[in-house]
Each structure stands twice: as structure tokens, then as C-alpha cells.
Amino acid sequence: MARGDWDSSDVLNPSVIQYQGQLWNYYSGFDGKSWHTGLATSVDGFSWRRMGKVLSADGDYIAANGSAIVHSGEIFYYYQTGNTAQIALARSSDGRNFRREPKPVLSLGPYGSWDERGVADPYVVRQNNLLYLYYTGLDRAWRQRLGVAVSDDGLSWSKLRDNPILELGEYGTADARGLGEPAVWSDLGSYWMLYTGRDRAEMRRLLLARSSDGVRWKKQSLVIAGNEPWDSKVICDPTVIVEPTRVRVWFGGGDVASPDENLHGQIGYGELVIQPL
């Protein structure tokens, strides 16, 4: 990366999918002013080839922090947009050239609601014949919690009444200051969620929750912290692919305890083994 490139300050928020016989990673890049979305491809998930920027902020603060899914023969990419965060959709028939839907597909909640100040960090999965969009909601006290919306076509979304589905942790815990960036999958008869927890010092770690239905969640004891200098202060933004014996996890990391940007963000890899209950 050269100084001044679109992803020269941070690379974070990977969204890895299997497409056309390879792994495609729609990741977020920060140039010091705006966040954009780029594409990298890989045959093994370790060595990646940058393919360039596929979605630009175009004078806005952000068009990134997204989640890609193959739906109806296209790639649907849900991403965060606007100075007041909302979730928008861009669609592509080839994975590289995207057309944006004119309006956000998930907007702010009503006055006084848990997500009235922002909806962000989408993660979309298919469960049976429906799509579920897990996201971060921001209330007027700037508290970040997690919710879910459901859709049968990927365009019109309905927020569930059970929201928020995961609350802040108690004082002193790894998610006492906020929860965000969920990644959800099903395995071994349960639904699982890796999410980012923010503590009061703005250190971020990955935490785990479990659900029997994808809506009602119980936090687990697992806490994943960075163990290298580059991710010593932040580990965040998980995306997963499930294989028979492992859950492959790509994540963002940084060495500055910042809640959003300029943390020398890079993308790393790990594997998670869930034991049968």
C-alpha cells in the first residue's frame, strides 16, 4: 500500500465468501478521510490478491463495513453508509461491478428506540428460506447493542420485536462499553455468534454467544484477544466459513485502542473448534 491509497491507513472488516471456485474477500479500507470497500481473492484463504476498490464513499464518510452473500444469482453486498449510519445494498452479477440500491434497506429506529442513532455492521446469513441480517444498533446514550432483521427477498427487511438480542456486559467485562460486528453461523444443532466486545479502555476482543433459534442468545465464556504486536489492542470484525471439522475465521486487528479508525488495521486469520455440547 502506498501512502494516499484508498486502503493505506486501515484494512479491516473482511467479508469472505465462496464464489466461482475461490474465496472472495470484500474488505474495508480507510484512506485517512473515508472508508471504501475493496476486493481480494484467494484459493486457500491465506495468500490474497488485491483486485482493487469496488465501492467508493464518493465524498461520503463510509461505504464499507459490509457483508456479502450470494443470493438469486447475484452478490448482494450490505454495507454501512452515511454520517448517521444506515445499512444500504449494492448488487453485482460478476462480483466486481456493483450497482447501488437508491435507498437504505435498514434505517434508523424510531425516537427513543435502541437503534435510533445508528444501524451498522451488517452480517447476513441464510436460514431455511429466509435471510437474517444481524447488526449493531446505537441509541441516544451511544450504547452499542446487537439486533436482527429478517427478509424473504433481501430487499425489504423487518426488524424483530425481540431486539436488541444481546445486551451490554456488566461493569468491568470485555463488552461493558459496547457490542458490535456480529458473525453468525449454524453448527452442531445450534446457532453461534462471534462478536466484538469493547471494554471501558476501548480494547476490543472477540466474544462468543450461542442460540437455539438465532434470535435468543446466551453469552459463552470464550474471550479471544490478540496475541501479536499488530493486534495487541484490537481484534474485531469477524467473518466465518464453516467446514466439517473447523470454523475458519478472518478478522481485523490493530495496535491502537481506537473505537473506529487509525488503529493500523490489518486482517488476520484463525480457526475455531466448537465442541459438541
Side-chain angles (χ1 to χ4, degrees):
M1 295 176 293
R3 184 176 180 86
D5 284 351
W6 69 273
D7 57 355
S8 58
S9 292
D10 293 297
V11 290
L12 293 167
N13 295 95
S15 178
V16 178
I17 62 171
Q18 294 173 319
Y19 187 61
Q20 296 183 347
Q22 294 189 86
L23 296 172
W24 291 46
N25 181 0
Y26 293 93
Y27 69 96
S28 301
F30 186 58
D31 61 14
K33 294 182 179 179
S34 299
W35 285 93
H36 314 269
T37 298
L39 170 64
T41 61
S42 174
V43 296
D44 59 9
F46 302 107
S47 299
W48 293 88
R49 179 186 178 190
R50 278 183 167 89
M51 306 300 290
K53 182 167 54 175
V54 298
L55 208 61
S56 175
D58 290 335
D60 199 353
Y61 169 66
I62 189 169
N65 290 11
S67 174
I69 189 170
V70 179
H71 179 64
S72 299
E74 294 184 296
I75 289 183
F76 278 35
Y77 180 68
Y78 298 90
Y79 63 97
Q80 182 179 328
T81 186
N83 292 320
T84 300
Q86 300 183 75
I87 293 172
L89 169 63
R91 301 162 66 176
S92 174
S93 58
D94 63 6
R96 294 180 174 87
N97 299 289
F98 282 86
R99 62 188 187 280
R100 307 182 197 217
E101 293 297 313
K103 296 181 179 179
V105 295
L106 199 70
S107 298
L108 305 178
Y111 179 85
S113 65
W114 74 279
D115 58 356
E116 70 164 313
R117 294 290 176 87
V119 292
D121 305 329
Y123 197 90
V124 179
V125 297
R126 184 177 289 103
Q127 299 178 21
N128 300 320
N129 294 321
L130 295 174
L131 295 175
Y132 284 73
L133 189 159
Y134 296 88
Y135 67 98
T136 303
L138 187 66
D139 68 11
R140 63 178 52 198
W142 308 110
R143 294 175 296 188
Q144 292 181 339
R145 291 171 284 181
L146 298 179
V148 63
V150 65
S151 173
D152 60 3
D153 63 4
L155 299 172
S156 300
W157 293 87
S158 299
K159 298 177 182 179
L160 299 191
R161 294 181 179 179
D162 295 84
N163 289 333
I165 57 173
L166 213 54
E167 289 279 358
L168 297 175
E170 297 180 355
Y171 183 90
T173 60
D175 56 357
R177 194 175 183 89
L179 302 84
E181 298 131 15
V184 175
W185 71 97
S186 59
D187 193 24
L188 300 174
S190 295
Y191 295 95
W192 303 91
M193 178 195 294
L194 278 175
Y195 67 95
T196 304
R198 297 168 53 208
D199 69 14
R200 297 184 67 84
E202 290 296 357
M203 298 276 284
R204 283 188 274 170
R205 304 172 181 87
L206 294 184
L207 309 178
L208 182 68
R210 175 180 172 268
S211 172
S212 61
D213 60 6
V215 177
R216 299 166 184 85
W217 293 87
K218 183 177 180 181
K219 296 178 182 180
Q220 306 297 294
S221 59
L222 180 67
V223 178
I224 304 174
N227 57 11
E228 300 291 342
W230 72 272
D231 64 358
S232 58
K233 298 296 179 65
V234 171
I235 178 170
C236 61
D237 308 334
T239 182
V240 305
I241 288 182
V242 180
E243 296 183 353
T245 60
R246 59 181 179 174
V247 178
R248 306 189 73 184
V249 183
W250 293 265
F251 60 91
D255 58 10
V256 178
S258 167
D260 43 26
E261 59 202 29
N262 293 316
L263 48 94
H264 306 134
Q266 300 180 72
I267 293 173
Y269 173 82
E271 296 181 3
L272 184 65
V273 178
I274 300 293
Q275 299 294 336
L277 300 175

Short mmCIF file of all heavy atoms in Angstrom, two decimals, residues 93-118:
data_model
loop_
_atom_site.label_atom_id
_atom_site.label_comp_id
_atom_site.label_asym_id
_atom_site.label_seq_id
_atom_site.Cartn_x
_atom_site.Cartn_y
_atom_site.Cartn_z
N SER A 93 -23.56 -8.79 -10.62
CA SER A 93 -23.69 -10.07 -11.32
C SER A 93 -22.34 -10.73 -11.57
O SER A 93 -22.28 -11.91 -11.92
CB SER A 93 -24.42 -9.87 -12.65
OG SER A 93 -23.72 -8.94 -13.47
N ASP A 94 -21.25 -9.97 -11.40
CA ASP A 94 -19.92 -10.53 -11.62
C ASP A 94 -18.99 -10.42 -10.42
O ASP A 94 -17.84 -10.87 -10.47
CB ASP A 94 -19.25 -9.87 -12.83
CG ASP A 94 -19.00 -8.38 -12.66
OD1 ASP A 94 -19.23 -7.84 -11.55
OD2 ASP A 94 -18.59 -7.73 -13.63
N GLY A 95 -19.47 -9.82 -9.34
CA GLY A 95 -18.68 -9.70 -8.12
C GLY A 95 -17.74 -8.52 -8.09
O GLY A 95 -17.10 -8.27 -7.06
N ARG A 96 -17.64 -7.78 -9.19
CA ARG A 96 -16.71 -6.65 -9.26
C ARG A 96 -17.39 -5.31 -9.53
O ARG A 96 -16.97 -4.29 -9.01
CB ARG A 96 -15.66 -6.91 -10.35
CG ARG A 96 -14.72 -8.07 -10.06
CD ARG A 96 -13.71 -8.26 -11.19
NE ARG A 96 -12.72 -9.27 -10.88
CZ ARG A 96 -12.87 -10.56 -11.11
NH1 ARG A 96 -14.00 -11.01 -11.65
NH2 ARG A 96 -11.91 -11.42 -10.81
N ASN A 97 -18.43 -5.35 -10.34
CA ASN A 97 -19.14 -4.12 -10.71
C ASN A 97 -20.49 -4.11 -10.00
O ASN A 97 -21.34 -4.97 -10.25
CB ASN A 97 -19.34 -4.07 -12.23
CG ASN A 97 -18.01 -4.05 -12.97
OD1 ASN A 97 -17.29 -3.06 -12.95
ND2 ASN A 97 -17.69 -5.16 -13.64
N PHE A 98 -20.64 -3.14 -9.11
CA PHE A 98 -21.81 -3.08 -8.26
C PHE A 98 -22.71 -1.91 -8.63
O PHE A 98 -22.25 -0.83 -8.99
CB PHE A 98 -21.38 -2.94 -6.79
CG PHE A 98 -20.91 -4.23 -6.18
CD1 PHE A 98 -19.59 -4.63 -6.33
CD2 PHE A 98 -21.78 -5.04 -5.48
CE1 PHE A 98 -19.14 -5.82 -5.77
CE2 PHE A 98 -21.34 -6.23 -4.92
CZ PHE A 98 -20.02 -6.63 -5.06
N ARG A 99 -24.01 -2.14 -8.51
CA ARG A 99 -25.00 -1.07 -8.63
C ARG A 99 -25.70 -0.93 -7.29
O ARG A 99 -26.15 -1.91 -6.70
CB ARG A 99 -25.99 -1.35 -9.76
CG ARG A 99 -26.83 -2.59 -9.57
CD ARG A 99 -27.65 -2.91 -10.81
NE ARG A 99 -28.58 -4.00 -10.60
CZ ARG A 99 -28.25 -5.28 -10.63
NH1 ARG A 99 -26.98 -5.63 -10.84
NH2 ARG A 99 -29.17 -6.21 -10.43
N ARG A 100 -25.82 0.30 -6.84
CA ARG A 100 -26.38 0.56 -5.52
C ARG A 100 -27.89 0.73 -5.58
O ARG A 100 -28.42 1.36 -6.48
CB ARG A 100 -25.76 1.82 -4.93
CG ARG A 100 -24.25 1.84 -4.91
CD ARG A 100 -23.75 3.11 -4.25
NE ARG A 100 -22.36 3.36 -4.56
CZ ARG A 100 -21.48 3.89 -3.71
NH1 ARG A 100 -21.87 4.23 -2.50
NH2 ARG A 100 -20.23 4.08 -4.05
N GLU A 101 -28.56 0.17 -4.58
CA GLU A 101 -29.98 0.49 -4.40
C GLU A 101 -30.09 1.94 -3.94
O GLU A 101 -29.25 2.44 -3.18
CB GLU A 101 -30.61 -0.44 -3.37
CG GLU A 101 -30.68 -1.89 -3.81
CD GLU A 101 -31.57 -2.08 -5.03
OE1 GLU A 101 -32.69 -1.54 -5.04
OE2 GLU A 101 -31.12 -2.76 -5.98
N PRO A 102 -31.11 2.67 -4.42
CA PRO A 102 -31.15 4.11 -4.17
C PRO A 102 -31.39 4.52 -2.72
O PRO A 102 -31.00 5.62 -2.32
CB PRO A 102 -32.31 4.59 -5.07
CG PRO A 102 -33.15 3.37 -5.28
CD PRO A 102 -32.21 2.21 -5.29
N LYS A 103 -32.02 3.65 -1.93
CA LYS A 103 -32.33 3.99 -0.54
C LYS A 103 -31.77 2.92 0.39
O LYS A 103 -31.63 1.76 -0.01
CB LYS A 103 -33.84 4.12 -0.33
CG LYS A 103 -34.49 5.24 -1.13
CD LYS A 103 -35.98 5.29 -0.84
CE LYS A 103 -36.65 6.42 -1.61
NZ LYS A 103 -38.11 6.47 -1.35
N PRO A 104 -31.47 3.28 1.64
CA PRO A 104 -31.04 2.27 2.60
C PRO A 104 -32.09 1.17 2.75
O PRO A 104 -33.30 1.42 2.63
CB PRO A 104 -30.88 3.06 3.91
CG PRO A 104 -30.63 4.46 3.46
CD PRO A 104 -31.45 4.65 2.22
N VAL A 105 -31.63 -0.05 3.00
CA VAL A 105 -32.56 -1.15 3.21
C VAL A 105 -32.86 -1.36 4.70
O VAL A 105 -33.81 -2.07 5.03
CB VAL A 105 -32.02 -2.46 2.59
CG1 VAL A 105 -31.93 -2.34 1.08
CG2 VAL A 105 -30.66 -2.84 3.18
N LEU A 106 -32.05 -0.77 5.57
CA LEU A 106 -32.32 -0.81 7.01
C LEU A 106 -32.00 0.56 7.58
O LEU A 106 -30.85 1.01 7.55
CB LEU A 106 -31.49 -1.89 7.71
CG LEU A 106 -32.03 -2.32 9.09
CD1 LEU A 106 -33.33 -3.10 8.91
CD2 LEU A 106 -31.02 -3.16 9.83
N SER A 107 -33.05 1.23 8.07
CA SER A 107 -32.93 2.60 8.54
C SER A 107 -32.97 2.68 10.05
O SER A 107 -33.15 1.68 10.74
CB SER A 107 -34.05 3.45 7.93
OG SER A 107 -33.97 3.48 6.52
N LEU A 108 -32.82 3.90 10.55
CA LEU A 108 -32.81 4.14 11.99
C LEU A 108 -34.15 3.74 12.62
O LEU A 108 -35.20 3.81 11.97
CB LEU A 108 -32.54 5.62 12.27
CG LEU A 108 -31.28 6.22 11.64
CD1 LEU A 108 -31.19 7.70 11.97
CD2 LEU A 108 -30.04 5.48 12.12
N GLY A 109 -34.07 3.36 13.89
CA GLY A 109 -35.28 3.09 14.63
C GLY A 109 -36.00 4.35 15.04
O GLY A 109 -35.47 5.47 14.89
N PRO A 110 -37.21 4.24 15.58
CA PRO A 110 -37.98 5.41 15.96
C PRO A 110 -37.39 6.12 17.17
O PRO A 110 -36.49 5.61 17.85
CB PRO A 110 -39.36 4.83 16.30
CG PRO A 110 -39.08 3.41 16.67
CD PRO A 110 -37.93 2.97 15.83
N TYR A 111 -37.91 7.28 17.45
CA TYR A 111 -37.46 8.11 18.58
C TYR A 111 -37.50 7.30 19.88
O TYR A 111 -38.48 6.64 20.18
CB TYR A 111 -38.37 9.34 18.70
CG TYR A 111 -38.02 10.25 19.84
CD1 TYR A 111 -37.05 11.23 19.70
CD2 TYR A 111 -38.67 10.14 21.07
CE1 TYR A 111 -36.73 12.09 20.75
CE2 TYR A 111 -38.36 10.97 22.13
CZ TYR A 111 -37.38 11.95 21.96
OH TYR A 111 -37.06 12.79 23.00
N GLY A 112 -36.39 7.34 20.60
CA GLY A 112 -36.32 6.66 21.88
C GLY A 112 -35.97 5.19 21.80
O GLY A 112 -35.86 4.52 22.84
N SER A 113 -35.78 4.66 20.58
CA SER A 113 -35.51 3.23 20.44
C SER A 113 -34.03 2.93 20.65
O SER A 113 -33.18 3.81 20.70
CB SER A 113 -35.95 2.75 19.06
OG SER A 113 -35.17 3.37 18.05
N TRP A 114 -33.71 1.65 20.72
CA TRP A 114 -32.34 1.21 20.99
C TRP A 114 -31.43 1.44 19.80
O TRP A 114 -30.21 1.43 19.95
CB TRP A 114 -32.34 -0.27 21.37
CG TRP A 114 -32.58 -1.17 20.20
CD1 TRP A 114 -33.79 -1.48 19.64
CD2 TRP A 114 -31.59 -1.85 19.42
NE1 TRP A 114 -33.61 -2.31 18.56
CE2 TRP A 114 -32.28 -2.55 18.40
CE3 TRP A 114 -30.20 -1.93 19.48
CZ2 TRP A 114 -31.62 -3.33 17.47
CZ3 TRP A 114 -29.54 -2.71 18.54
CH2 TRP A 114 -30.24 -3.40 17.55
N ASP A 115 -32.00 1.69 18.59
CA ASP A 115 -31.18 1.91 17.40
C ASP A 115 -31.55 3.21 16.68
O ASP A 115 -31.44 3.30 15.46
CB ASP A 115 -31.26 0.72 16.44
CG ASP A 115 -32.68 0.39 15.98
OD1 ASP A 115 -33.64 1.04 16.46
OD2 ASP A 115 -32.83 -0.51 15.13
N GLU A 116 -31.96 4.22 17.45
CA GLU A 116 -32.40 5.47 16.82
C GLU A 116 -31.24 6.32 16.31
O GLU A 116 -31.44 7.20 15.47
CB GLU A 116 -33.22 6.31 17.81
CG GLU A 116 -32.44 6.92 18.96
CD GLU A 116 -33.21 8.03 19.67
OE1 GLU A 116 -33.76 8.90 18.98
OE2 GLU A 116 -33.24 8.01 20.91
N ARG A 117 -30.02 6.09 16.77
CA ARG A 117 -28.88 6.91 16.36
C ARG A 117 -27.96 6.22 15.35
O ARG A 117 -26.99 6.82 14.90
CB ARG A 117 -28.08 7.34 17.59
CG ARG A 117 -28.84 8.29 18.52
CD ARG A 117 -29.03 9.65 17.88
NE ARG A 117 -29.83 10.54 18.71
CZ ARG A 117 -29.35 11.31 19.67
NH1 ARG A 117 -28.06 11.29 19.95
NH2 ARG A 117 -30.16 12.09 20.37
N GLY A 118 -28.23 4.98 15.01
CA GLY A 118 -27.39 4.33 14.02
C GLY A 118 -27.69 2.85 13.90
O GLY A 118 -28.02 2.18 14.88
#
